[in-house]
Amino acid sequence: MVLPPLKLRRDEVVPRFIRPLKEADFCWNINYNGYMFKAVDPKVNFVEMENKWLAWWQANNLLSKYLKKNQNSKEKFFFLDGPITANNPMGVHHAWGRTYKDLWQRFKNMQGFKQTFRNGFDNQGLWVEVEVEKELGFRTKKQIEDYGIENFVNKCKQSTLHWAKVQTEQSKRLGYFMDWDNSYYTMSDENNYTIWHFLKKCYDKGLIYKGKDSVPWCPRCGTAISQHEILQEEYQEILHDSVFMRLPLNDARGKPLKEEYLLVWTTTPWTIPANALVAVNPKIKYAKVVYEGKSYWLAAKLVPKIFPAGYEVKEKVTGEELLKIGRFYEGPFDDLPAAQKAKRANPEAFHSLVLSEELVSEEEGTGLVHIAPGCGAEDFALAVRGCGYPEMVIPAIDESGCYLESYGRFSSQNAKTAPEIILDYLKRHEDGRFLFRIEPHTHRYPVCWRCKTELVWRVVDEWYIKMDPLRQPLKKAAKEAHWIPEWGLEREIDWLNHMSDWLISKKRYWGLSLPIWECQKCKAFTVIGSKEELKEKAVEGWEEFEGHTPHRPWVDAVKIKCSECGGVAVRILDVGNPWLDAGIVSFSTLIDPQTAKVSYLTDKKYWAYWYPADFITECFPGQFKNWFYSILAMSTVLEGHSPFKTLLGHALVRDEKGEEMHKSKGNAIWFEEAAERMGVDVMRWMYVMQNPELNLNFGYRIADETRRRFHLPLWNIYNFFVTYAVLDGYKDTKIQRYKVDNVLDRWILSKLNSLIKTVTDSLENYDAYTASRAIESFVEELSTWYIRRSRDRVGSGAPAGEDKNNFYATTYEVLLTLTKILAPFIPFLSEEIFKNLTEEESVHLQDWPKANEALVDHELEEKMDLVRKVVEMGHAKRREAGIKVRQPLPKFSIFNFPFDLAQGKQFSIDKQLVDLIKDELNVKEVVVKPGKGELAVELDTTVTPELREEGEARDIIRQIQEARKEAGCGLADLIEVGLPSWPKKFEEEIKRKTLAKKLYQAEKLEVKCITSKK
Ligand SMILES: [Zn+2]
Ligand SMILES: [Zn+2]
């Protein structure tokens, strides 16, 4: 694709997160005190560590090795990226989806799948224009035209390219591995011309039409807002003045009824001058109420709500009967030329009562509804499609929301920004004859999604794709895909059931140039499907256009001959709806490397190899009507199928209290700040641990908790392993494991292989939530049970031999496998650990571990769970009795243990389980009685003098260990210890456990380091 060279302004510096490498970053696999592993910093700075790896990966060109890992693989996986709007820095809310995107691509890369790794940027559309307008200080479309469309469009290109660069750097900081030099841009020629191809297909199927409709309109942006751009979020609680009008009622021949009025309520007074009809519900009861000498017609049910005391109900009829009493009414603005014209066009319809069950209720207002078909979608539908009165569509305002010329004294005044002109007029005109009451009213009102200006409704010529013929095929295509969560499909089907035609035109400047050429003479139009077709048909302006991207103003120069009348056809000036840009990417972004062309538009081979996508993931809210919808729609028209097999949707990012983040509220967190303060591995872990269906609360407190709960325990395990491996002289990575007979080793290896299975299955089902929870609980058990119960197996106090060796071999394997499992989730910490444990280049070039089923022992896992449970119960008994763990006790009994540990097949394993309980609870004897009832325990708390002495010895050992640390002795240093007294019977044990060469009498505890093994 051809991109204009990008010149950054001086203040437009793209942040670079990659710091220069330091000498220390390279000290891998050097001999540290003669041992293989580099010492671990117990007070690790994770952020600093992440920045080190970013630099290292870059210096070692790791990304390109990662991207090429499976280039010759026969298996493929196609992740289709929904383009990120390149209009702002990336936020922490984007980081959630991008973590998922990275996670599954990394997982599949480790599994050996070939992939495209294409990131996408969304570049065209109003959002970019609005930013540039802000930058240039423009407020109207006229200012843009004065500045020049070419200049403006170039500015838009430059702006979006700038943000694409910023987002690229931010994504790299997140640890997101993509083919960053090969990102796709929706403003590219490839993308725009593929949309032309799509629109031509629609045209050939008769789906493109120019329609007049009442559309939501932003008076600031000067453009229509299409139905799917008005989301729930785009409604705000707004206080408006509502008006109760009294409209003099005439009979069926137009003769005035004496002092009889219709009472009509509206919340949009600016639309009153365009009033054409009043609607009543044929089924509702209406009452004639006499109040202060005048008679009013309104819904009977609403009378007490509107009138204070002193009214009298005279008569009740249904809406249908009301039409026989009165047919016509007078309005306050009947003298305006606009109203006069409508009256002349259809005197039978103008200011008449019409029936509508859908529009009229008796819940609020008066049960009589003001209808201005030129200013509202429902009003338009009722007048034109319901009653067949197209003449009643009285246009009211221009592009910027000002009343048209035909509005006499109001003309060129802004309808929305100066609503008082209408209210004041109603108050004054004929002494307020038409005004009953003005009442402030709060209601949910839509605003522009870009600039938050209140929307109005205008009747305009716009271009549409007919969606009715596509409704069933689209629903069929949506059902072909797998939606996660499942209700996503229901939401999509619901939208597909209710969608109206797709409004594709925008009266703007920067965007897809709709390839519609309209004859200036006969108004026939045609759609051009490619650049080549345009060249062939061009009769004028080709030279001006050639060499430019298919954007305004260049493409506007090209004129073609009308095939109907031979006249000159020019391009309609509208640009396209941006969801066309993002919706075409399943076709436009598969560029055949052999031809460098859009495969779908040429030989389709490369495209057919990848299509449809295996996986897409985006934030849910909004996308049902937007990206999910547009890729489905475009693929259904072109291929009749869903363009994706699995869709994973996720909810929104909120602040720590669950509130929306807003710049103005001061609770927004910027991505850079979060990355450098909490670290992206912590951020990523928060995202993967979240149930994607629920909004995620994001903040530093939650980040700290996450780190404490997961990253730090993991780091401590790793630190423990490396520290003792170095101490015990485990020199290299080829640690041999002997026969696995230690119950802890067997158990953790069983757990590890179960974990591999769980994580693999979960990730294959696109369930990061289950996967990450399983990993976190594994790390917790590794830390609080396996490592803790293994402490006595290592260090100078433990004998060298098979058991020690087995501990290192087992823990080494566990850590190595764990880093591979963690690599897609937390790419930095996993790399840090992996690189210290191996001589391999990177964990990110490794293959995904396979579970060894032979090592999975479900029965053992179950027994160990029970052991941990009874141990908890035992500790509770000790706490109850107020006896600390260091005091040995004679006996612990367990009742109703589901396994008979003395009889089982695995006798030696069972015996070791009993020993674990013994050691953990510090008791001399454990009795396990099998049974089926409720698990119960009993602790004998008798402390004999002998046990008391032993308890004292344990206390002393602990005090000496503390004192060793305080004295700064190394783990292997020998010491001499002075003590006031110690139980002589335990002297040898004290010496062995504390590495004391001798104990001597002293007034208080003192420790001297005497040698160092180092
Ligand atoms: Zn706007
Ligand atoms: Zn023509």
Side-chain angles (χ1 to χ4, degrees):
M1 91 169 224
V2 191
L3 287 175
L6 178 70
K7 280 198 195 115
L8 294 179
R9 293 190 308 270
R10 200 168 302 167
D11 58 338
E12 223 179 18
V13 179
V14 176
R16 301 246 169 240
F17 296 106
I18 298 178
R19 67 151 169 79
L21 275 173
K22 295 175 193 164
E23 189 76 20
D25 296 339
F26 290 102
C27 62
W28 298 108
N29 303 333
I30 54 161
N31 279 3
Y32 172 78
N33 289 336
Y35 300 106
M36 188 60 195
F37 307 124
K38 197 176 86 168
V40 175
D41 177 4
K43 292 192 182 68
V44 59
N45 178 334
F46 287 122
V47 170
E48 167 67 15
M49 187 258 290
E50 289 172 3
N51 283 303
K52 174 185 78 186
W53 286 115
L54 285 175
W56 193 87
W57 290 337
Q58 195 187 42
N60 290 275
N61 213 6
L62 191 80
L63 179 60
S64 116
K65 293 169 192 165
Y66 168 89
L67 299 175
K68 287 184 192 142
K69 177 173 178 278
N70 305 313
Q71 62 182 354
N72 298 319
S73 171
K74 291 219 162 41
E75 290 187 294
K76 67 177 168 72
F77 177 77
F78 180 29
F79 162 71
L80 177 66
D81 188 31
I84 180 170
T85 308
N87 185 44
N88 272 309
M90 182 180 108
V92 291
H93 56 291
H94 293 113
W96 188 0
R98 285 169 113 64
T99 295
Y100 280 158
K101 292 175 180 185
D102 192 40
L103 166 64
W104 272 287
Q105 289 179 89
R106 282 178 182 274
F107 171 60
K108 292 291 173 181
N109 209 37
M110 291 179 84
Q111 281 191 322
F113 290 80
K114 183 170 161 181
Q115 298 178 73
T116 63
F117 296 110
R118 281 203 99 181
N119 166 79
F121 291 112
D122 208 3
N123 312 103
Q124 300 181 146
L126 191 51
W127 36 50
V128 179
E129 286 193 41
V130 170
E131 281 307 307
V132 172
E133 278 181 274
K134 262 192 223 156
E135 190 191 315
L136 296 172
F138 291 172
R139 299 177 56 192
T140 63
K141 285 167 86 173
K142 185 165 180 304
Q143 286 172 301
I144 296 173
E145 301 205 347
D146 291 346
Y147 180 73
I149 295 175
E150 180 167 351
N151 292 336
F152 185 73
V153 162
N154 280 333
K155 271 267 181 202
C156 289
K157 281 187 186 175
Q158 202 180 53
S159 168
T160 184
L161 282 176
H162 166 72
W163 290 117
K165 277 182 196 272
V166 171
Q167 291 173 344
T168 299
E169 293 306 315
Q170 291 179 301
S171 302
K172 289 179 185 168
R173 176 65 187 90
L174 180 66
Y176 191 10
F177 274 13
M178 278 299 233
D179 190 357
W180 294 113
D181 297 334
N182 188 30
S183 290
Y184 73 76
Y185 296 77
T186 62
M187 67 181 180
S188 68
D189 290 10
E190 286 92 343
N191 214 64
N192 282 318
Y193 286 126
T194 312
I195 303 171
W196 282 26
H197 172 83
F198 162 79
L199 291 172
K200 176 85 175 187
K201 276 269 148 42
C202 292
Y203 172 72
D204 289 344
K205 291 177 192 233
L207 298 173
I208 303 268
Y209 72 96
K210 177 179 175 174
K212 212 182 241 321
D213 204 349
S214 174
V215 294
W217 186 274
C218 173
R220 197 219 68 88
C221 297
T223 187
I225 304 295
S226 65
Q227 188 193 8
H228 49 246
E229 286 167 332
I230 308 179
L231 309 176
Q232 271 318 94
E233 306 85 282
E234 257 61 79
Y235 281 81
Q236 292 181 354
E237 293 283 323
I238 295 177
L239 182 73
H240 282 135
D241 276 325
S242 74
V243 174
F244 290 86
M245 293 182 280
R246 51 183 172 210
L247 304 175
L249 186 62
N250 298 345
D251 69 10
R253 284 166 299 145
K255 223 182 100 204
L257 298 162
K258 198 167 175 277
E259 290 293 314
E260 264 186 52
Y261 298 88
L262 300 173
L263 199 60
V264 178
W265 181 67
T266 176
T267 56
T268 52
W270 69 269
T271 63
I272 299 174
N275 171 274
L277 307 161
V278 164
V280 297
N281 187 320
K283 305 236 166 90
I284 289 178
K285 280 275 184 196
Y286 289 85
K288 182 159 120 181
V289 175
V290 178
Y291 179 71
E292 291 179 348
K294 292 184 169 68
S295 304
Y296 298 95
W297 283 100
L298 71 156
K301 202 178 146 190
L302 291 161
V303 173
K305 257 175 97 174
I306 287 167
F307 290 96
Y311 65 85
E312 191 186 341
V313 176
K314 281 285 185 198
E315 192 181 346
K316 279 189 190 174
V317 297
T318 64
E320 204 162 2
E321 289 160 340
L322 177 61
L323 256 66
K324 289 173 196 144
I325 299 169
R327 259 289 324 267
F328 296 99
Y329 62 90
E330 292 169 39
F333 300 96
D334 288 357
D335 63 316
L336 295 179
Q340 294 285 324
K341 188 180 161 204
K343 189 173 182 178
R344 276 196 308 277
N346 189 346
E348 276 304 300
F350 184 73
H351 281 191
S352 67
L353 287 170
V354 293
L355 297 174
S356 168
E357 276 184 57
E358 295 88 60
L359 282 189
V360 187
S361 81
E362 44 186 355
E363 300 312 311
E364 64 174 358
T366 63
L368 292 107
V369 175
H370 149 70
I371 303 290
C375 308
E378 283 110 354
D379 305 40
F380 181 91
L382 176 65
V384 178
R385 291 193 275 275
C387 307
Y389 296 158
E391 310 84 359
M392 293 304 104
V393 179
I394 311 174
I397 51 176
D398 68 9
E399 286 203 335
S400 53
C402 296
Y403 286 112
L404 300 169
E405 232 181 84
S406 54
Y407 280 71
R409 54 197 166 275
F410 304 109
S411 126
S412 80
Q413 302 211 55
N414 193 289
K416 275 308 279 182
T417 55
E420 63 281 356
I421 53 175
I422 298 300
L423 301 177
D424 287 349
Y425 181 81
L426 284 171
K427 285 180 206 157
R428 284 193 325 265
H429 181 58
E430 294 187 34
D431 293 330
R433 178 176 174 225
F434 292 88
L435 181 64
F436 180 72
R437 188 196 295 162
I438 294 173
E439 206 174 80
H441 177 75
T442 306
H443 58 160
R444 289 176 63 70
Y445 194 85
V447 296
C448 172
W449 56 274
R450 281 321 304 168
C451 68
K452 306 297 168 201
T453 301
E454 288 179 32
L455 297 183
V456 293
W457 267 255
R458 283 189 76 211
V459 175
V460 281
D461 283 340
E462 296 286 2
W463 293 86
Y464 296 87
I465 300 173
K466 260 183 225 164
M467 294 310 289
D468 259 335
L470 296 173
R471 206 179 297 275
Q472 289 314 322
L474 257 166
K475 280 159 72 173
K476 194 181 130 266
K479 286 175 191 163
E480 287 168 5
H482 177 214
W483 295 68
I484 309 169
E486 265 173 51
W487 51 259
L489 176 61
E490 285 160 43
R491 290 275 298 276
E492 190 63 44
I493 296 289
D494 185 59
W495 162 251
L496 294 176
N497 280 331
H498 294 100
M499 66 175 175
S500 42
D501 290 347
W502 188 353
L503 170 62
I504 54 168
S505 53
K506 275 198 184 295
K507 305 202 173 332
R508 295 293 307 188
Y509 309 97
W510 169 237
L512 163 85
S513 298
L514 287 176
I516 303 172
W517 267 259
E518 198 176 30
C519 176
Q520 288 178 305
K521 216 160 126 197
C522 75
K523 291 289 163 198
F525 73 90
T526 188
V527 172
I528 300 291
S530 68
K531 189 179 177 182
E532 293 69 33
E533 187 189 344
L534 182 62
K535 186 175 182 180
E536 200 185 296
K537 295 196 171 154
V539 293
E540 208 185 312
W542 182 259
E543 301 70 35
E544 238 176 284
F545 169 57
E546 202 164 25
H548 288 286
T549 58
H551 288 110
R552 298 193 65 187
W554 307 290
V555 68
D556 299 343
V558 183
K559 292 175 182 162
I560 64 173
K561 198 163 110 183
C562 171
S563 59
E564 300 289 318
C565 75
V568 176
V570 299
R571 198 185 76 79
I572 61 161
L573 292 178
D574 303 15
V575 296
N577 175 293
W579 293 108
L580 290 169
D581 303 349
I584 199 68
V585 299
S586 18
F587 300 95
S588 59
T589 64
L590 290 165
I591 307 295
D592 190 336
Q594 304 295 323
T595 62
K597 286 184 177 148
V598 176
S599 173
Y600 187 72
L601 299 179
T602 48
D603 64 7
K604 289 199 182 176
K605 267 198 217 126
Y606 181 79
W607 168 81
Y609 174 76
W610 292 104
Y611 179 95
D614 291 287
F615 179 56
I616 63 172
T617 178
E618 296 297 325
C619 182
F620 252 150
Q623 300 302 352
F624 296 111
K625 295 174 173 187
N626 290 324
W627 195 58
F628 301 155
Y629 169 61
S630 63
I631 51 170
L632 263 175
M634 293 174 99
S635 186
T636 304
V637 168
L638 293 175
E639 290 297 319
H641 287 289
S642 167
F644 54 87
K645 291 181 192 160
T646 297
L647 176 154
L648 169 65
H650 63 89
L652 302 162
V653 173
R654 299 284 196 227
D655 78 359
E656 284 192 325
K657 292 181 204 139
E659 285 169 24
E660 263 181 71
M661 284 195 196
H662 275 302
K663 243 192 265 183
S664 55
K665 263 166 102 182
N667 63 349
I669 297 178
W670 305 113
F671 172 77
E672 280 82 354
E673 187 200 298
E676 299 312 312
R677 259 180 76 183
M678 67 174 65
V680 296
D681 271 350
V682 168
M683 197 191 291
R684 290 173 69 119
W685 196 249
M686 285 158 73
Y687 294 136
V688 296
M689 284 286 285
Q690 174 73 11
N691 177 347
E693 291 185 56
L694 307 174
N695 288 339
L696 179 145
N697 293 354
F698 187 93
Y700 293 107
R701 192 181 48 76
I702 297 169
D704 289 343
E705 268 167 32
T706 305
R707 194 183 305 104
R708 257 201 306 276
R709 210 183 55 229
F710 180 65
H711 300 72
L712 286 175
L714 177 60
W715 187 261
N716 290 339
I717 295 165
Y718 161 62
N719 180 23
F720 179 85
F721 170 77
V722 170
T723 306
Y724 280 94
V726 168
L727 187 75
D728 282 336
Y730 279 81
K731 281 192 173 191
D732 57 34
T733 54
K734 291 182 193 69
I735 298 169
Q736 288 291 314
R737 192 172 59 227
Y738 300 96
K739 194 169 151 261
V740 187
D741 56 3
N742 184 304
V743 70
L744 286 166
D745 296 346
R746 285 177 80 139
W747 171 70
I748 202 70
L749 289 171
S750 172
K751 288 294 247 187
L752 178 72
N753 285 285
S754 298
L755 178 73
I756 298 172
K757 226 172 140 333
T758 307
V759 175
T760 309
D761 290 351
S762 307
L763 289 185
E764 272 167 0
N765 290 311
Y766 302 101
D767 179 0
Y769 177 65
T770 303
S772 57
R773 250 146 234 271
I775 295 171
E776 203 174 284
S777 95
F778 177 81
V779 168
E780 195 260 346
E781 291 190 293
L782 180 63
S783 157
T784 60
W785 194 244
Y786 178 77
I787 294 287
R788 198 161 68 84
R789 289 280 16 117
S790 295
R791 277 178 187 273
D792 288 345
R793 301 169 67 191
V794 296
S796 310
E802 278 193 10
D803 187 59
K804 190 180 252 187
N805 205 344
N806 281 344
F807 167 80
Y808 286 118
T810 304
T811 311
Y812 182 78
E813 181 167 329
V814 167
L815 278 174
L816 202 61
T817 307
L818 197 55
T819 57
K820 292 180 195 170
I821 292 177
L822 282 170
F825 295 87
I826 47 171
F828 296 94
L829 182 49
S830 55
E831 183 80 319
E832 173 80 18
I833 299 175
F834 181 84
K835 287 288 289 176
N836 198 16
L837 296 183
T838 70
E839 288 184 295
E840 305 278 335
E841 185 163 15
S842 167
V843 72
H844 303 301
L845 302 177
Q846 293 293 305
D847 288 337
W848 185 254
K850 285 196 173 65
N852 181 352
E853 302 270 355
L855 290 175
V856 176
D857 181 344
H858 291 297
E859 190 179 310
L860 175 58
E861 289 186 24
E862 203 181 325
K863 283 177 182 168
M864 193 65 92
D865 283 346
L866 285 160
V867 163
R868 296 196 66 187
K869 195 169 166 189
V870 296
V871 155
E872 268 315 301
M873 294 163 84
H875 282 305
K877 292 274 178 204
R878 268 188 180 272
R879 279 193 298 275
E880 259 170 52
I883 302 169
K884 57 191 172 191
V885 184
R886 280 190 301 280
Q887 175 59 59
L889 291 173
K891 192 170 155 189
F892 180 62
S893 312
I894 305 160
F895 305 96
N896 294 328
F897 198 80
F899 293 94
D900 186 351
L901 294 187
Q903 298 287 320
K905 291 175 288 198
Q906 304 177 308
F907 184 71
S908 84
I909 289 293
D910 289 348
K911 193 180 159 296
Q912 289 185 60
L913 287 173
V914 174
D915 288 343
L916 277 181
I917 302 173
K918 217 187 238 173
D919 290 346
E920 173 68 21
L921 288 177
N922 194 15
V923 293
K924 294 290 158 195
E925 189 191 356
V926 171
V927 180
V928 185
K929 291 182 176 149
K932 283 196 163 51
E934 200 187 330
L935 198 61
V937 299
E938 200 177 271
L939 185 66
D940 181 352
T941 54
T942 319
V943 181
T944 60
E946 198 175 55
L947 288 176
R948 186 174 310 283
E949 270 204 338
E950 192 181 336
E952 275 168 32
R954 293 227 178 181
D955 267 336
I956 288 168
I957 291 169
R958 198 186 68 96
Q959 285 163 17
I960 297 171
Q961 302 289 31
E962 296 278 305
R964 276 183 69 105
K965 263 190 230 160
E966 273 168 43
C969 306
L971 286 172
D973 289 348
L974 297 179
I975 54 171
E976 284 180 357
V977 182
L979 284 165
S981 69
W982 63 93
K984 294 288 173 296
K985 196 179 148 194
F986 293 95
E987 179 166 326
E988 279 317 303
E989 189 181 340
I990 296 171
K991 280 163 74 178
R992 184 165 48 83
K993 288 206 166 148
T994 61
L995 300 189
K997 248 182 122 178
K998 95 176 197 211
L999 306 183
Y1000 60 89
Q1001 195 73 35
E1003 255 179 54
K1004 58 181 172 70
L1005 174 66
E1006 51 190 48
V1007 165
K1008 284 181 221 154
C1009 305
I1010 52 168
T1011 60
S1012 167
K1013 272 192 179 177
K1014 285 179 192 170

